[in-house]
Amino acid sequence: MDAVQPGTIDAERVFDLENQLPNHRTVFTATYRPTASLSGLFRFSRYSGWKDSSFGEQAEFGSEVFLDIEMTYDVSETLQLSAGARNITNNKADEETNSVLRFLGATAPISAPFNVNGGSWYLRAQYTF
């Protein structure tokens, strides 16, 4: 940061404000509709690396890539059924390296800009009225 008023925030917080978010995020989404009632979605997301500072320790985390898919069937004009997966490769963030946070039970970085729990599958029904 260019200008921080003395006594407002400490150097660790300034470091986090400048480094906790990745410098780059790339998202590519493609949709496909082979019929009037069937559609599909594919999403590729990439986060560049980021840094964190907690309890006097600094950590650096690498970039991550995620793939999502979804198929939707339009049962009627008002009802849609979907099945999909987020993070189909079950990619997870690097392990937390901060000794205090690991002692407290954190295995993944609590500052991660994305879900650190790995992949998930879902079914969804959507009714519009």
Side-chain angles (χ1 to χ4, degrees):
M1 298 184 103
D2 293 338
V4 176
Q5 294 295 323
T8 55
I9 58 176
D10 62 13
E12 190 172 279
R13 181 68 178 137
V14 171
F15 179 88
D16 286 344
L17 289 170
E18 293 175 341
N19 297 285
Q20 266 186 346
L21 293 176
N23 288 331
H24 303 284
R25 179 178 180 214
T26 304
V27 178
F28 173 78
T29 303
T31 57
Y32 178 64
R33 185 173 281 279
T35 68
S37 60
L38 186 65
S39 64
L41 174 136
F42 170 82
R43 180 177 297 120
F44 165 89
S45 302
R46 181 189 180 275
Y47 293 82
S48 65
W50 79 99
K51 298 176 185 176
D52 179 55
S53 179
S54 298
F55 301 104
E57 296 179 32
Q58 289 184 2
E60 189 167 339
F61 302 97
S63 63
E64 303 294 340
V65 172
F66 303 99
L67 302 175
D68 306 332
I69 58 170
E70 179 181 283
M71 293 299 294
T72 300
Y73 178 68
D74 297 335
V75 177
S76 67
E77 288 185 20
T78 58
L79 179 62
Q80 291 181 327
L81 300 176
S82 301
R86 294 204 171 111
N87 188 6
I88 61 174
T89 56
N90 199 31
N91 192 8
K92 297 181 182 175
D94 298 340
E95 287 191 12
E96 178 63 71
T97 59
N98 184 286
S99 60
V100 174
L101 294 174
R102 288 202 56 85
F103 174 77
L104 294 172
T107 57
I110 60 174
S111 62
F114 48 81
N115 182 351
V116 298
N117 295 322
S120 62
W121 295 87
Y122 61 90
L123 296 172
R124 179 178 64 229
Q126 180 175 326
Y127 182 77
T128 306
F129 54 94

